[in-house]
Amino acid sequence: MNKSAIRAFGIALFLVGASLALAARFDLNIGLPTKASSHTENVEKLQKKLEQANKEIALLKGQVKQAPKETTQKTDATETKAKDNHESVDAPAADVATMTLQIYNGIAPYSVAKKLEDGGIIENSVEMELLLANPKYSRSLQIGSYEINSSMSLEEIAKLITGKKQ
């Protein structure tokens, strides 16, 4: 056999192999014996999981809608007690969330803001992320643990975790 015939045979083998790989990748049935595809079974399982997740979400949304009513009732009761005692209530202490924020080397402002939002300290993580991206605070996050509560302003939190003067 000459070189060109061997080269042509090698190219043909490569093309057949590539075709088979593509057919397997895109799950094409080109007449080769394969195991039965369990694609429909997987779809059914995923649909059941999706339905279950949607039910759980609906249940949690219902609980969240009920929670503000309970909080309002508790606040009304607190205000009534304060009026009875001739005291004024500005903000109930029960509404202040507290957390320990861990800042480690290389943490991004996005991650810090997300942790604060997840901990119930701030309402909107984007505002905090934008504040920390400000040239005044950027690249100034200090490694350590910080006790933070929801009564602190965004500016106070930023100054605390960046080590800037109050």
Side-chain angles (χ1 to χ4, degrees):
M1 286 176 87
N2 61 20
K3 276 186 173 183
S4 61
I6 293 174
R7 185 177 297 138
F9 182 71
I11 291 172
L13 285 176
F14 174 77
L15 291 175
V16 169
S19 300
L20 290 174
L22 286 173
R25 171 77 173 118
F26 294 109
D27 200 26
L28 299 176
N29 186 1
I30 57 172
L32 296 174
T34 59
K35 67 176 187 169
S37 176
S38 61
H39 181 69
T40 54
E41 294 173 7
N42 289 338
V43 169
E44 290 172 4
K45 287 179 184 177
L46 290 173
Q47 285 176 340
K48 287 179 183 177
K49 286 182 180 179
L50 178 61
E51 289 173 9
Q52 183 180 1
N54 285 334
K55 287 178 185 176
E56 289 177 14
I57 289 171
L59 178 66
L60 291 173
K61 282 183 180 179
Q63 290 175 353
V64 167
K65 287 179 182 177
Q66 291 174 356
K69 292 177 185 175
E70 293 172 3
T71 305
T72 304
Q73 291 170 353
K74 288 179 184 176
T75 303
D76 291 343
T78 305
E79 288 175 358
T80 304
K81 288 180 185 176
K83 287 177 185 175
D84 291 343
N85 294 333
H86 303 289
E87 297 174 0
S88 65
V89 176
D90 292 332
D95 291 341
V96 177
T98 305
M99 73 174 283
T100 301
L101 177 66
Q102 295 286 335
I103 297 183
Y104 51 88
N105 190 20
I107 193 168
Y110 168 81
S111 300
V112 172
K114 191 66 178 155
K115 283 183 180 185
L116 291 170
E117 183 181 38
D118 292 345
I121 302 298
I122 61 175
E123 295 288 325
N124 188 349
S125 64
V126 175
E127 291 177 25
M128 187 64 175
E129 182 181 358
L130 290 173
L131 180 64
L132 291 174
N134 182 327
K136 181 177 178 182
Y137 299 117
S138 63
R139 301 187 184 267
S140 297
L141 291 175
Q142 300 296 310
I143 298 170
S145 297
Y146 302 94
E147 290 296 321
I148 299 175
N149 63 57
S150 60
S151 66
M152 299 171 75
S153 70
L154 294 179
E155 189 77 21
E156 290 173 329
I157 295 171
K159 285 179 180 178
L160 176 67
I161 65 178
T162 58
K164 302 291 181 187
K165 301 277 189 227
Q166 290 288 339

